[in-house]
């Protein structure tokens, strides 16, 4: 479907001030949001409501560094929306993070939760820091001070953080402890992605990769490609990329390329993923020097001939500069925002099916939801139960969006936005505006 020609004069297409940069995460998100708003004929007030975060908090985080000097970090937490339930989303530690990026990621969480029918709104947090340059003690101080500054924002019924870029189980444990100390009681439902001994869910760590695999298999099925005959290239060998590689390998897929920050590794006969995992485990998590394949660049990996390409590393990897070179039949977005809005149309024209991030990597937040439910029940599920329910929710979401795609004659990404925005708007109409 193309946009109706008069949509350019609709309120959604008035360009505010300088020309929009479709390559920035916020504008990539807004571009897709505007399209869905037009398809849904969303009223202007609703459009405005959903384009602005409910709350955006920036705090200063002073800590005493190991050298005895004070240093002040900047922290953000953005609640994009809480119409469907408490807000939910990760916290990232990144040296160049901007409020703009956090706003886009918070909105993505709203749409992501809506897509998989998880009863949460969307949020995201960040601290502008380079965790590699901080000692463990400094990292703990930064985390605890951020948490105490955000006491009025986060909470099990308000806004529930989780891991994201450069944050992990330990960081979640510190947040949970700091919050609990202030609350004078143990509140394990305030964060998800905790260590299992602290009330984390079995299967949470693998959940994003497992969800990526579920939707990849569903997409292969729709395309008439057998999983045990397909070729796959995966960018990123962190939590998402490595679990995805392992599970697809177990399904008999030929993984022809993997990569991490040290570069790409290509073998058209297929990489032995068990060996690659062992190699990384023995080399501090890095693939550097892995000899089961020929070394290529991360950029070249994206342009390989394959059935499925899974960018599971950083945002903006496929953009207007390299989109024309992509040869995969299906792209599954393991990362958040790996394809920019300007690349979308080039890939669509080439007939490449994209499984959008807000569906493809929603397995993480789905099991976060299971973790929160278990914490609130004070009861724990088996890993098998977690995985079965995760697979079911991901499969159902894929087919739901596929139906929307067929109904409107749009892409799967557009269908995801149409479904999610339609659902949040409908809920908001029922709840009404409190004044
Ligand atoms: N940070 C993950 C995401 O982007 C997980 C969020 C969560 O579990 O709340 O989806």
């Amino acid at each position: 479907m193309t946009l109706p020609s008069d949509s350019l004069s609709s309120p959604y297409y008035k360009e505010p001030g300088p020309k929009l940069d479709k390559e920035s995460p916020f504008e990539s998100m807004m571009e897709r949001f505007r399209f869905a708003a037009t398809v849904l004929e969303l009223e202007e007030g609703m459009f405005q409501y959903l384009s602005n975060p409910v709350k955006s908090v920036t705090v200063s985080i002073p800590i005493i560094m190991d050298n005895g000097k004070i240093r002040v970090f900047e922290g953000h937490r953005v609640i994009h929306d809480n119409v469907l339930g408490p807000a939910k989303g990760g916290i990232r530690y990144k040296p160049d993070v901007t409020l703009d990026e956090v706003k886009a990621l918070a909105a993505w969480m709203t749409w992501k939760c809506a897509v998989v029918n998880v009863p949460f709104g969307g949020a995201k947090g960040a601290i502008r820091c380079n965790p590699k340059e901080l000692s463990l003690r400094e990292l703990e101080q930064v985390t605890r001070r951020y948490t105490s500054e955000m006491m009025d924002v986060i909470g099990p019924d308000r806004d529930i953080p989780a891991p994201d870029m450069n944050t992990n189980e330990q960081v979640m444990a510190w947040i949970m402890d700091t919050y609990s100390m202030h609350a004078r009681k143990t509140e394990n439902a305030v964060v998800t992605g905790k260590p299992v001994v602290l009330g984390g869910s079995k299967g949470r760590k693998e959940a994003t990769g497992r969800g990526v695999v579920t939707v990849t298999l569903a997409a292969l099925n729709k395309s008439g490609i057998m999983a045990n005959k397909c070729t796959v290239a995966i960018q990123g060998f962190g939590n998402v990329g490595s679990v995805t590689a392992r599970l697809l390998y177990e399904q008999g897929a030929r993984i022809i390329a993997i990569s991490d920050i040290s570069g790409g590794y290509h073998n058209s006969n297929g990489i032995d993923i068990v060996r690659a995992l062992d190699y990384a485990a023995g080399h501090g998590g890095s693939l550097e020097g892995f000899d089961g394949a020929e070394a290529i660049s991360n950029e070249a990996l994206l342009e390989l001939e394959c059935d499925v390409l899974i960018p599971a590393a950083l945002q903006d990897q496929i953009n207007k500069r390299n989109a024309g070179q992509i040869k995969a039949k299906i792209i599954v977005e393991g990362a958040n925002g790996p394809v920019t809005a300007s690349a979308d149309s080039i890939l669509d024209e080439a007939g490449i099916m994209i499984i959008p991030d807000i569906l493809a990597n929603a397995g993480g937040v789905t099991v976060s939801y299971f973790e929160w439910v278990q914490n609130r029940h004070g009861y724990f599920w088996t890993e098998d139960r977690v995985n079965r329910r995760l697979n079911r929710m991901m499969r159902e979401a894929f087919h739901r969006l596929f139906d929307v795609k067929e109904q409107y004659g749009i892409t799967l990404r557009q269908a995801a936005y149409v479904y999610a925005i339609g659902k949040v708007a409908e809920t908001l109409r029922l709840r009404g505006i409190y004044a």
Side-chain angles (χ1 to χ4, degrees):
M1 178 180 164
T2 47
L3 280 170
S5 56
D6 66 352
S7 67
L8 290 171
S9 59
S10 86
Y12 316 132
Y13 286 83
K14 283 196 190 120
E15 295 207 351
K19 192 150 175 30
L20 301 175
D21 175 12
K22 285 205 228 164
E23 302 281 290
S24 90
F26 189 68
E27 272 317 320
S28 279
M29 190 279 295
M30 284 307 292
E31 177 81 5
R32 289 143 181 175
F33 178 29
R34 273 187 286 271
F35 179 88
T38 307
V39 172
L40 289 163
E41 296 176 20
L42 210 63
E43 54 274 33
E44 191 180 352
M46 187 67 79
F47 178 84
Q48 268 169 19
Y49 186 103
L50 296 176
S51 349
N52 292 296
V54 163
K55 191 180 278 186
S56 178
V57 181
T58 297
V59 292
S60 291
I61 307 164
I63 67 153
I64 300 187
M65 302 292 282
D66 290 349
N67 63 11
K69 296 203 172 122
I70 298 175
R71 207 172 136 191
V72 182
F73 296 89
E74 188 177 80
H76 307 286
R77 185 76 186 165
V78 174
I79 295 184
H80 171 258
D81 201 72
N82 47 17
V83 168
L84 296 182
K88 187 85 191 80
I91 297 183
R92 56 176 54 184
Y93 290 179
K94 200 169 161 239
D96 58 352
V97 75
T98 60
L99 185 57
D100 206 43
E101 177 180 342
V102 183
K103 281 186 185 169
L105 290 159
W108 265 323
M109 286 308 302
T110 302
W111 315 137
K112 197 185 289 190
C113 293
V115 154
V116 279
N117 282 351
V118 159
F120 284 144
K124 205 79 175 194
I127 299 179
R128 204 181 162 91
C129 70
N130 185 350
K132 290 195 188 75
E133 286 170 4
L134 298 178
S135 70
L136 198 63
R137 190 199 68 87
E138 290 166 341
L139 203 64
E140 176 172 352
Q141 300 293 303
V142 167
T143 305
R144 288 189 183 274
R145 183 64 189 248
Y146 172 85
T147 308
S148 83
E149 293 297 334
M150 292 294 178
M151 275 304 288
D152 296 330
V153 180
I154 63 173
D157 298 305
R158 275 197 296 260
D159 170 24
I160 306 129
D164 200 82
M165 208 178 273
N166 293 328
T167 55
N168 57 17
E169 292 189 342
Q170 176 62 77
V171 172
M172 297 307 115
W174 289 328
I175 296 177
M176 183 270 215
D177 183 68
T178 308
Y179 188 90
S180 298
M181 289 294 123
H182 280 264
R184 298 286 186 263
K185 59 183 172 157
T186 296
E187 272 291 6
N188 56 10
V190 68
V191 281
T192 60
K194 297 177 291 291
V196 173
V197 281
L198 291 188
S201 177
K202 291 200 170 119
R204 172 64 184 86
K205 228 198 253 165
E206 300 78 25
T208 310
R210 191 171 287 280
V212 167
V213 172
T214 306
V215 294
T216 303
L217 296 178
L220 284 169
N221 194 276
K222 286 273 180 209
S223 313
I225 305 172
M226 304 272 283
N228 60 3
K229 298 244 157 43
C230 78
T231 51
V232 185
I234 303 174
Q235 188 193 47
F237 209 61
N239 183 33
V240 182
S242 66
V243 172
T244 302
R246 175 170 61 81
L247 296 178
L248 281 174
Y249 184 71
E250 283 170 13
Q251 292 288 324
R254 182 148 45 102
I255 317 292
I256 59 158
I258 52 176
S259 78
D260 68 5
I261 198 154
S262 71
Y265 303 86
H266 174 221
N267 182 343
S268 49
N269 295 320
I271 293 171
D272 182 341
I273 295 299
V274 175
R275 252 196 80 221
L277 287 166
D278 280 350
Y279 185 90
H283 292 80
S286 170
L287 286 168
E288 184 149 28
F290 177 61
D291 61 1
E294 147 208 7
I296 55 167
S297 68
N298 256 299
E299 296 73 47
L301 176 143
L302 298 171
E303 297 172 15
L304 288 172
E305 193 104 40
C306 58
D307 294 312
V308 186
L309 171 63
I310 306 183
L314 298 170
Q315 58 207 26
D316 302 343
Q317 293 302 291
I318 303 174
N319 45 50
K320 62 180 171 214
R321 285 172 290 284
N322 62 357
Q325 261 55 263
I326 306 294
K327 293 167 202 80
K329 297 189 183 81
I330 302 169
I331 297 176
V332 185
E333 296 185 328
N336 286 318
V339 176
T340 65
S342 11
D344 269 351
S345 49
I346 304 171
L347 298 167
D348 294 345
E349 253 162 54
I352 299 170
M353 185 204 274
I354 302 176
I355 316 298
D357 46 7
I358 56 174
L359 167 65
N361 68 37
V365 77
T366 302
V367 176
S368 274
Y369 167 56
F370 297 162
E371 181 171 328
W372 180 81
V373 168
Q374 292 171 72
N375 291 159
R376 289 168 65 106
H377 279 189
Y379 180 74
F380 293 97
W381 300 358
T382 61
E383 188 161 354
D384 187 49
R385 183 183 211 181
V386 170
N387 291 346
R388 267 188 288 117
R389 292 190 176 200
L390 168 64
N391 284 340
R392 189 173 69 214
M393 281 178 72
M394 294 299 293
R395 242 193 339 264
E396 283 173 2
F398 178 88
H399 291 292
R400 202 162 41 236
L401 299 191
F402 213 87
D403 289 348
V404 177
K405 162 186 148 66
E406 304 280 278
Q407 181 192 340
Y408 288 95
I410 53 183
T411 66
L412 209 52
R413 186 189 314 280
Q414 289 162 346
Y417 277 78
V418 165
Y419 177 79
I421 291 163
K423 180 173 173 177
V424 177
E426 188 191 342
T427 313
L428 183 59
R429 279 188 208 105
L430 287 166
R431 286 183 65 158
I433 303 283
Y434 174 74

